[in-house]
Amino acid sequence: MLQATPLTDGWILRHESAALPAAVPGCVHTDLLAAGVIPDPFVGLGETEVAWVGRRDWTYETDLDAASAHTAYEQTDLVFDGLDTVAEISLDGRPLGRVRNMHRSYRFDVTGLSGRLSVRFASAYAEAEAVRGRLGERPAAYAEPYQYLRKMACSFGWDWGPTLVTAGIWRPVRLEHWSTARIARVRPLVTVEQGTGRVELAIDVERTRVEAPLTVEATVDGVRARAEIDGTSGAVRLEVPDVRLWWPRGYGEQPLYDVELTLLHGEDALDVWRRRIGFRTVALDRRADADGTGFTLVVNGERLFARGVNWIPDDVFPSRVTRERYRTRLRQAAAAGVDLVRIWGGGIYESEDFYDACDELGLLVWQDFPFACAAYPEEQPLRGEVEAEARENVVRLMPHPSLVLWNGNNENLWGFRDWGWEPRLAGDSWGEGYYLGVLPRVVAELDPTRPYTAGSPWSGSWDRHPNDPAHGTHHSWEVWNREDYAEYRADVPRFVAEFGWQAPPAYATLRRALPGEELAADSPGMLHHQKAEDGNGKLRRGLERHFAFPEGDFDRWHYLTQVNQARAVAAGIEHWRSHWPVCAGTVVWQLNDCWPVTSWAAIDGDGREKPLYHELRRLYADRLLTLQGRELAVVNQAAEAWAGAVRLRRMSVEGAVVEEASVDFAAGRRAVDRVAVPKELEPVGPKEFLVADADGLRAVHFPAPDREVPYPRPEFEVVLVPGGISVTARTLVRDLLLQADRLHPDARADRGLVTLLPGEEVTIGVSGWETPDAAAARSALYCMEPAR
């Protein structure tokens, strides 16, 4: 039986004459940080102090002892699951190979060899600049040369991320000892038809002895099958009766089945492959209709409104992201009502831990191939690397039922048409051959059970604008960059794959990242941890459309920008959900951050939840009330119909009910009902607003911007209750927020923004609060106040 020996101990990192202990898996930055050689690049201006690291060459070394080399096995392989990125590997001075792709694994025959193992990493900058010199300049959204090598693009910085260009053995490395034959690849095709699950396992083997007769035996849920291996390949098929279907969260359960495949020589087991699979069907409905061209995911025959978030690498040093950290972040997503996670193209193919968690939680995965915001050369050495990495990762990720869509790139088709690339390229290659040629061919050949789309955004044809909202996927960035979030309501895209609004991270996150700094919107550390072009200017203009700008009051600025972020995203989701099934999904930019930064994230770089996160829990719930102009939209994504009466109240800001009515509604399963608001219920002027209540859900509509609303001075009482606090309003209290991390860095509140009418009470659960105190809690409560 194949024996694997992890190589985790005894590594050192060398640079010139210096040597220090190294952690594998890891990277140069984390090793230098552990040794105290560099400051924490996440703290203060530390990022700029470590910029030199990415410009240097680095070498990792360890010893392979003779015992590892001289075994009873016929062959020993040195296996790297991930090398970042350009490296030469040698053993006792003997070259084993040269690699240039972070997104691939590598295997070297080291049978009978021992001695000093050396992995010498060249600077990613040097490699990228050399490729650029050979192939010519290509345009990109950023100046760094990330499109010239197969490496995590956001290592080179993004409009939410630091420039920390890594190098290192970022995924596990091991020795594999084997005899006769080993399993080189298993490609599982999992389908289901009329309750019967079918599993076809296509197997490739590597042999030391060509003549040895080989068989494979596979089992799934007690079903067993055997097949012979002809040469170096074969296939085994199993049928599993009465399978339970795997469903996205909110639509059903997530049963998973263990698959085991054993490679045999006679009755001797040589190697074993084990995975978990789920039985489900997935399709993408892209048919033309009266509204354009659809983009609707269909799982097990059920058409979905996708409640999505965009995912970026959870740490700029991805080797630090553990299995439990993945699960924590993805549980947060599921708890917010999310059912789809898009892995964005400037990052990586994530580890098995990510997809395992999504399988268990019922989170659908949209997987971008790693191309983002740049023209990518299609010549060698890149073209071969692109196909090799695609082939490896498509097969690696095929077992996961959560994976439902392959996407060719992020914004590159749009960039070619709209960002001035076409004339600059003057006919040079830019990636179209990947997105419309290589990648769909690889997916069709290897993974025909899943749909592929050429890019996001993509209208499906060059006959239309790539970002046409009426066709396919749409990215809505005029809002935030140039327009108010009210403009989300100007159209109904078929599928909104990116949109969002910025806000700073939690206060405790800022205090940790900027120790000793007197915080201000434009203080040095705050500006350094704001990577978007004119980010603070856009934050300010976005605030000024709705609020009086709080000059010189950081705490108020911090609160209002977080409120504005939640309101902006709500404006989009409420509008688009109310237009299901024309609009079939929203994917918020973004769920998470890779460091402490002002960004579009709902969860900040320290894992703290912004008010936006809690707002997503309301927006992505199965049932949602939203006031859209003169209509109330009753959105029901539940499996059961929803009918009842909504209580409508036209109120004054002083708390008086001006007019009241009850209106019946009936929303079918997975459907929307639109109810007209009686004219006498429409609020008049800035002193009035409309409240809609039904079955414990509420929608509130203020017709005027906050700066024009004559809010009363908020009055409320705060008392301690077991596990948190209770707040009772004596006046209208709009957008009340407990910033629990101001009570203690570990404290968390179980809800975000809440609007209370006079006499109403809310209980806010608080965890991680060591010494509860009502006065302290009151000081951490923020809400709308009269204009100053």
Side-chain angles (χ1 to χ4, degrees):
M1 178 69 78
L2 182 147
Q3 175 186 322
T5 305
L7 296 179
T8 56
D9 300 327
W11 289 90
I12 64 167
L13 173 65
R14 288 193 184 278
H15 171 62
E16 297 175 349
S17 60
L20 50 101
V24 172
C27 74
V28 171
H29 288 83
T30 54
D31 290 331
L32 296 174
L33 189 60
V37 175
I38 61 172
D40 188 339
F42 289 9
V43 174
L45 307 184
E47 174 199 358
T48 60
E49 298 177 47
V50 303
W52 59 273
V53 175
R55 295 282 182 181
R56 305 288 179 88
D57 296 345
W58 302 90
T59 300
Y60 282 81
E61 293 181 352
T62 193
D63 288 317
L64 296 188
D65 59 35
S68 297
H70 301 95
T71 69
Y73 293 89
E74 293 175 340
Q75 183 155 330
T76 297
D77 292 339
L78 173 65
V79 182
F80 294 94
D81 286 342
L83 293 167
D84 175 18
T85 291
V86 180
E88 295 178 349
I89 299 95
S90 62
L91 182 56
D92 233 21
R94 171 181 172 175
L96 298 179
R98 188 172 189 270
V99 303
R100 58 190 319 128
N101 192 328
M102 180 181 183
H103 306 302
R104 292 178 59 187
S105 62
Y106 296 94
R107 178 180 293 268
F108 304 99
D109 183 352
V110 292
T111 305
L113 302 179
S114 60
R116 195 68 168 169
L117 174 63
S118 173
V119 184
R120 183 179 183 275
F121 289 95
S123 162
Y125 278 111
E127 171 71 9
E129 288 159 0
V131 172
R132 179 172 57 190
R134 293 199 299 273
L135 303 183
E137 191 79 32
R138 299 296 198 283
Y142 304 98
E144 298 281 304
Y146 58 89
Q147 70 269 47
Y148 301 102
L149 74 170
R150 300 306 298 150
K151 175 178 172 58
M152 184 174 85
C154 62
S155 285
F156 291 90
W158 221 259
D159 58 3
W160 37 257
T163 301
L164 294 167
V165 179
T166 53
I169 305 171
W170 77 288
R171 280 184 166 161
V173 55
R174 62 191 173 277
L175 292 174
E176 289 188 357
H177 311 283
W178 54 280
S179 296
T180 307
R182 70 172 187 88
I183 298 171
R185 186 179 79 164
V186 178
R187 184 169 63 89
L189 286 173
V190 180
T191 57
V192 59
E193 186 175 350
Q194 296 180 340
T196 297
R198 293 183 171 85
V199 183
E200 178 181 325
L201 303 173
I203 306 111
D204 295 328
V205 301
E206 182 182 356
R207 291 173 173 264
T208 60
R209 285 181 274 164
V210 175
E211 75 284 354
L214 301 176
T215 58
V216 289
E217 181 175 275
T219 60
V220 181
D221 198 40
V223 177
R224 189 178 303 270
R226 291 175 73 107
E228 294 184 357
I229 296 294
D230 182 13
T232 58
S233 63
V236 61
R237 297 169 181 84
L238 304 96
E239 290 195 354
V240 185
D242 302 320
V243 294
R244 295 180 299 139
L245 294 179
W246 183 97
W247 288 93
R249 62 161 301 281
Y251 290 83
E253 297 181 347
Q254 294 79 44
L256 297 169
Y257 291 77
D258 292 321
V259 180
E260 181 171 294
L261 182 141
T262 304
L263 178 65
L264 299 161
H265 177 219
E267 294 304 312
D268 295 332
L270 302 177
D271 199 358
V272 176
W273 179 91
R274 297 183 180 91
R275 296 293 187 277
R276 291 187 307 173
I277 61 171
F279 293 97
R280 55 100 184 99
T281 64
V282 60
L284 183 62
D285 186 348
R286 290 184 270 203
R287 289 176 296 180
D289 56 28
D291 298 292
T293 308
F295 195 91
T296 304
L297 282 166
V298 185
V299 178
N300 298 330
E302 186 81 65
R303 299 171 68 81
L304 312 181
F305 181 96
R307 293 169 278 187
V309 288
N310 281 276
W311 171 276
I312 66 170
D314 205 51
D315 196 315
V316 75
F317 307 131
S319 60
R320 296 201 297 200
V321 184
T322 62
R323 180 179 180 84
E324 188 50 43
R325 182 162 160 185
Y326 276 126
R327 288 177 179 273
T328 296
R329 201 70 68 243
L330 291 167
R331 286 190 194 109
Q332 286 174 301
V338 169
D339 59 21
L340 180 142
V341 179
R342 176 193 173 208
I343 301 178
W344 166 78
I348 57 176
Y349 306 94
E350 296 286 350
S351 82
E352 296 293 334
D353 296 331
F354 178 97
Y355 306 93
D356 285 345
C358 290
D359 291 344
E360 295 165 14
L361 292 167
L363 293 171
L364 302 174
V365 176
W366 159 334
Q367 176 71 59
D368 280 13
F369 286 97
F371 300 89
C373 301
Y376 284 78
E378 296 176 38
E379 293 78 18
Q380 299 292 10
L382 292 171
R383 188 178 185 88
E385 291 292 344
V386 166
E387 179 154 354
E389 85 180 41
R391 288 183 170 277
E392 176 176 339
N393 284 285
V394 166
V395 172
R396 176 173 74 90
L397 300 180
M398 282 176 64
H400 295 283
S402 56
L403 178 59
V404 295
L405 181 66
W406 292 103
N407 176 50
N409 74 88
N410 176 76
E411 298 191 342
N412 293 343
L413 298 163
W414 181 20
F416 177 76
R417 177 57 50 85
D418 249 15
W419 300 350
W421 294 1
E422 192 168 2
R424 290 176 60 189
L425 286 162
D428 285 345
S429 67
W430 57 275
E432 182 182 27
Y434 298 144
Y435 319 134
L436 299 177
V438 173
L439 298 176
R441 171 172 54 81
V442 168
V443 172
E445 175 193 339
L446 298 176
D447 189 14
T449 68
R450 289 180 177 88
Y452 169 88
T453 184
S456 186
W458 178 233
S459 62
S461 169
W462 283 119
D463 294 336
R464 299 182 287 265
H465 189 281
N467 199 26
D468 186 334
H471 300 276
T473 49
H474 177 67
H475 289 194
S476 181
W477 285 117
E478 284 299 299
V479 173
W480 165 251
N481 282 321
R482 280 165 282 277
E483 298 174 347
D484 183 45
Y485 53 74
E487 295 304 311
Y488 282 138
R489 304 186 183 100
D491 54 29
V492 182
R494 304 311 301 269
F495 193 105
V496 190
E498 280 191 21
F499 72 106
W501 200 271
Q502 273 201 350
Y507 183 79
T509 299
L510 290 173
R511 283 274 55 115
R512 185 192 69 79
L514 304 174
E517 179 164 309
E518 184 177 345
L519 295 177
D522 58 354
S523 59
M526 288 294 296
L527 290 177
H528 184 76
H529 289 249
Q530 162 63 279
K531 296 297 185 180
E533 181 181 2
D534 191 30
N536 271 21
K538 293 170 184 175
L539 280 174
R540 180 173 188 128
R541 290 188 291 277
L543 278 183
E544 289 177 335
R545 293 183 181 109
H546 298 271
F547 307 98
F549 192 82
E551 296 284 1
D553 186 342
F554 176 81
D555 290 343
R556 198 75 193 157
W557 176 87
H558 182 263
Y559 163 73
L560 289 177
T561 51
Q562 293 202 330
V563 169
N564 223 30
Q565 180 187 39
R567 290 214 200 149
V569 172
I573 294 177
E574 289 185 3
H575 170 65
W576 295 321
R577 278 195 75 181
S578 74
H579 285 276
W580 161 259
V582 175
C583 181
T586 57
V587 190
V588 177
W589 188 269
Q590 62 213 65
L591 175 68
N592 58 327
D593 269 327
C594 64
W595 78 312
V597 65
T598 296
S599 84
W600 298 262
I603 302 169
D604 75 18
D606 281 6
R608 295 187 175 91
E609 297 153 351
K610 297 183 188 179
L612 171 60
Y613 171 84
H614 297 282
E615 186 70 351
L616 286 177
R617 294 173 61 188
R618 180 184 72 85
L619 297 166
Y620 277 166
D622 282 349
R623 291 175 171 175
L624 173 71
L625 295 180
T626 171
L627 289 159
Q628 299 288 314
R630 295 179 176 178
E631 286 187 323
L632 172 74
V634 181
V635 181
N636 180 32
Q637 207 160 344
E640 305 81 22
W642 182 24
V646 60
R647 182 188 183 192
L648 292 171
R649 284 176 287 174
R650 174 181 159 200
M651 300 188 67
S652 73
V653 293
E654 289 83 11
V657 177
V658 179
E659 197 77 40
E660 183 171 355
S662 179
V663 180
D664 292 335
F665 67 87
R669 69 182 300 274
R670 323 281 193 213
V672 177
D673 188 21
R674 304 181 77 88
V675 179
V677 174
K679 187 168 182 58
E680 64 271 19
L681 270 295
E682 294 178 15
V684 177
K687 292 185 176 182
E688 293 186 352
F689 63 102
L690 180 61
V691 182
D693 291 291
D695 293 339
L697 301 182
R698 170 171 286 177
V700 180
H701 171 61
F702 285 76
D706 291 73
R707 65 175 183 268
E708 297 176 11
V709 177
Y711 289 115
R713 185 164 300 283
E715 296 179 9
F716 51 85
E717 296 174 1
V718 180
V719 296
L720 296 177
V721 296
I725 63 171
S726 175
V727 180
T728 302
R730 299 304 176 210
T731 63
L732 169 67
V733 179
R734 189 180 185 194
D735 284 332
L736 180 73
L737 174 67
L738 175 65
Q739 294 192 11
D741 58 289
R742 289 177 179 262
L743 303 173
H744 188 279
D746 295 333
R748 299 286 193 276
D750 66 357
R751 66 176 62 227
L753 301 167
V754 59
T755 293
L756 299 175
L757 305 180
E760 291 185 334
E761 178 185 354
V762 64
T763 297
I764 303 173
V766 184
S767 61
W769 190 11
E770 294 181 344
T771 55
D773 176 84
R778 188 177 186 90
S779 71
L781 284 165
Y782 292 78
C783 65
M784 291 298 124
E785 296 178 352
R788 299 179 183 180

